[in-house]
Amino acid sequence: MSPRRHTVVRPAREVDVLREVDIVVAGGGAAGVAAAVCAARAGASVVLLERNSFLGGTMTSTSLGGICGLYSLIDGEPVQMVHGFAGEVRDRLDRAGGIRGALPWLQTASLPYDLFIMKSVLDELAKTLRLTVLYQARLVEAGVEDGRIRHVIVRGRGGLFAICANAFVDCTGDGELAALASVAIEYDRASLQFPTAMFRMGGVDTSVAMKVPRDEMHRLLEQAVADGYDLPRTAGGVYSVREGVVHLNITKVKVGGHTPDTFDPFELSEAEHEGRRQARLYLDVFRRYVPGYANAYILDTGAELGIRETRRIIGRHILTSDDVLKERKFDDAIAVNCWPIEDHGGTRATRWVWLSPGGYNHIPYRALLPTGVDNLLVAGRCLSSTHDAQAAIRVTANCFSTGQAAGLAAVMAGSGDMASIGIKSLQAALQANGVKLTPMPGTIHA
C-alpha cells in the first residue's frame, strides 16, 4: 500500500496564455493524431498536446508492435473492415516499408509494423497546415466556467503555460482532461485489465521462430511452467517485421498479486520494474524452450508499461458487451468495431469472446459525449463503455476511428455544444474522408 501523507496548499499564480486556437486535442496517440489532423484538414486551428517527445501513444511509447481491429478473418483470409484515417495510416506504412501485411491468428488478424517507421509516418501527418504539436506537454488543470472548458494549464519543460480554445478533445487514454473538468467517470480499481510490458528480441532466427505455431508455443511455455518457471502468460502476440527481430506482447504485470493502480505513483513504479523483470524471465525461457531463440537477446523494452484500462467516461450512451457481441448498429454511428472482447484478467489465459466472421458493431457518437461539459469530446480507449465492451473497443484501429470522428465533430460544433451537431452531416463528412460505416453488405441499423 502506498504511504499516505498530509496535504499542502498550492498557491494561486498567473499563467501566460501561449496560444488561442479553435481546438485543443489532449494526447497524441492514435485517437489524438487522428482527431488533430482531421480537424486541421477541415480548416480549424489546432494544438495537439503530447506528453512524450514523439507521437503514437501506446503504439510507440509501449512498443505495441501490431495494429489490432483493422481486419476480420473471413474464410481464413483477413478482410479490412476499418478504413478512413486508419486506412490512410496503413497505406502510408506500406509505402514506407513499415509493414509486411496482415498476420492471421486465432479468429482474427493484426497488422505488425516497424516502430520507427510508425513514428516517422505520424511525424509526416503532423505537418498538416494549421496544426501545432507541442511535445513534452502535460496537462495540469482545466479551466471550466458555465459548463465549458475555457482553457487548459499545461506543464512544459520551461514551466506552466495556458492554451485557450473553443473546443476540446480528450484522447489521453486515461481520461485526464475529462477528470480535470470533473465530468462523470468510472474507475473500477478491482476489475481493471492487467497491463503488459512489451519488449523486442534481437538475434532471433526468424526463419524458424515465426514458423512455430501458436498452439506449439503455448505447449512449450506450459512445459516451462511445469518445470518451475513462474510465467504469468503462456500465449501472446509475437510479431516480426524485420529479419532477426521479434516483438513480444506476452507479459502480465501484477503488483502484490493484483492489477497495479497506475494512478498510484508507488504502484506504477513497482509495476514498471516488474515488467522488465518479466522480460528477462521470458528471454531465458524462450532461449531454452522455443525454436529459433537460442541466441536471442533483449533489444529494448517499451518506454513505459502497456496499460489497457483506467478511467472510462460515463457518456450519453454506455457501450455494453451486448452492443458488441450482438453486433448492434446505431443511427448515430461514427465508427465500426470488428475486434472481439479481449479481456486480460488475473489468470495466465486471456478471455476471448468472438464476433461472427465479418461481423461488427457500431460505436455511436453519444459514447464520445461526456455529461456536464458542453465543449468536450472523448475518443480512444476511455470513451463511454462497460469493462467488457472496453476490452473490444480499446484497440488501435478503433482509436483512430473515434479520434477521426471527434476531430471532425469538434470542427462542426465550433464554439457551440458538441451534442448539437447534425449527426447526418458528421456521417457524411466521415464517409467523404474514407470511412465505411457499412463495410459488409446486408447490415441493418438497430
Side-chain angles (χ1 to χ4, degrees):
M1 182 67 105
S2 305
R4 301 298 176 191
R5 302 180 184 275
H6 59 278
T7 60
V8 297
V9 176
R10 183 177 181 179
R13 59 178 293 186
E14 292 186 349
V15 177
D16 289 337
V17 176
L18 192 64
R19 190 74 61 89
E20 296 184 16
V21 292
D22 296 322
I23 300 169
V24 165
V25 178
V33 171
V37 171
C38 292
R41 286 175 175 174
S45 57
V46 183
V47 165
L48 173 58
L49 303 171
E50 169 51 43
R51 63 187 178 87
N52 293 311
S53 57
F54 49 86
L55 296 173
T58 297
M59 292 186 294
T60 50
S61 64
T62 73
S63 184
L64 182 61
I67 296 175
C68 295
L70 277 174
Y71 304 98
S72 279
L73 203 62
I74 303 175
D75 296 327
E77 293 296 324
V79 175
Q80 188 169 337
M81 301 284 287
V82 176
H83 300 270
F85 193 84
E88 180 180 351
V89 172
R90 185 221 170 277
D91 292 345
R92 285 175 176 253
L93 286 168
D94 192 17
R95 290 195 297 271
I99 57 175
R100 288 183 171 178
L103 176 67
W105 54 281
L106 296 178
Q107 298 179 40
T108 186
S110 59
L111 183 69
Y113 60 85
D114 179 272
L115 181 61
F116 182 75
I117 292 178
M118 174 65 83
K119 289 180 180 178
S120 300
V121 163
L122 300 179
D123 280 343
E124 290 300 311
L125 285 164
K127 291 179 180 178
T128 302
L129 188 66
R130 292 179 291 273
L131 170 59
T132 301
V133 180
L134 299 181
Y135 294 108
Q136 300 190 40
R138 302 195 70 112
L139 288 173
V140 176
E141 295 176 17
V144 181
E145 181 183 339
D146 298 326
R148 298 181 64 83
I149 301 174
R150 305 295 179 176
H151 65 265
V152 288
I153 305 295
V154 182
R155 178 172 294 281
R157 288 179 68 88
L160 298 180
F161 59 87
I163 306 287
C164 298
N166 293 322
F168 294 80
V169 184
D170 185 341
C171 300
T172 60
D174 290 328
E176 286 185 58
L177 182 52
L180 290 172
S182 299
V183 306
I185 60 171
E186 182 175 3
Y187 180 62
D188 185 355
R189 173 69 179 74
S191 69
L192 298 178
Q193 293 191 66
F194 284 79
T196 290
M198 315 288 184
F199 62 100
R200 294 192 297 166
M201 289 186 190
V204 179
D205 184 347
T206 45
S207 65
V208 174
M210 298 312 295
K211 292 179 181 177
V212 177
R214 184 181 175 90
D215 288 349
E216 174 64 6
M217 180 172 290
H218 174 64
R219 186 190 69 79
L220 293 169
L221 297 184
E222 284 289 337
Q223 182 60 55
V225 170
D227 292 344
Y229 286 92
D230 185 20
L231 300 180
R233 289 169 68 187
T234 52
V238 180
Y239 305 130
S240 179
V241 178
R242 298 278 177 248
E243 297 299 330
V245 177
V246 169
H247 172 278
L248 294 103
N249 173 348
I250 201 166
T251 71
K252 180 175 290 186
V253 177
K254 300 180 181 181
V255 171
H258 60 256
T259 312
D261 181 354
T262 55
F263 293 152
D264 182 313
F266 298 94
E267 288 202 8
L268 175 60
S269 299
E270 186 175 346
E272 294 282 12
H273 184 273
E274 169 63 12
R276 289 187 289 275
R277 185 198 69 81
Q278 288 187 16
R280 295 191 297 271
L281 172 64
Y282 277 98
L283 173 64
D284 186 21
V285 168
F286 270 71
R287 281 173 168 172
R288 291 172 180 265
Y289 288 85
V290 185
Y293 292 86
N295 298 313
Y297 58 91
I298 292 179
L299 188 64
D300 58 18
T301 58
E304 62 181 355
L305 201 61
I307 296 170
R308 293 183 171 88
E309 181 184 14
T310 54
R311 301 184 187 99
R312 303 186 306 278
I313 66 161
I314 300 173
R316 309 293 177 93
H317 177 87
I318 301 173
L319 202 72
T320 68
S321 59
D322 270 0
D323 291 336
V324 174
L325 298 177
K326 294 182 179 179
E327 300 174 8
R328 286 196 175 123
K329 315 302 187 289
F330 295 95
D331 288 338
D332 63 336
I334 48 85
V336 164
N337 166 64
C338 62
W339 195 251
I341 290 176
E342 178 196 355
D343 187 5
H344 292 256
T347 67
R348 288 202 301 273
T350 300
R351 180 171 69 96
W352 297 91
V353 189
W354 301 98
L355 280 65
S356 64
Y360 65 91
N361 66 279
H362 278 151
I363 299 174
Y365 180 63
R366 288 164 293 157
L368 279 60
L369 284 168
T371 55
V373 177
D374 294 336
N375 65 336
L376 174 66
L377 287 170
V378 178
R381 73 170 188 239
C382 53
L383 59 74
S384 180
S385 63
T386 63
H387 167 81
D388 276 357
Q390 194 267 357
I393 59 88
R394 63 179 170 78
V395 295
T396 305
N398 294 329
C399 292
F400 279 131
S401 298
T402 57
Q404 180 173 15
L408 292 174
V411 175
M412 294 173 62
S415 58
D417 186 345
M418 296 288 197
S420 68
I421 67 162
I423 191 63
K424 297 301 181 186
S425 297
L426 175 58
Q427 290 171 335
L430 288 168
Q431 289 164 359
N433 283 273
V435 174
K436 297 180 181 180
L437 294 174
T438 309
M440 298 293 288
T443 56
I444 300 173
H445 286 239

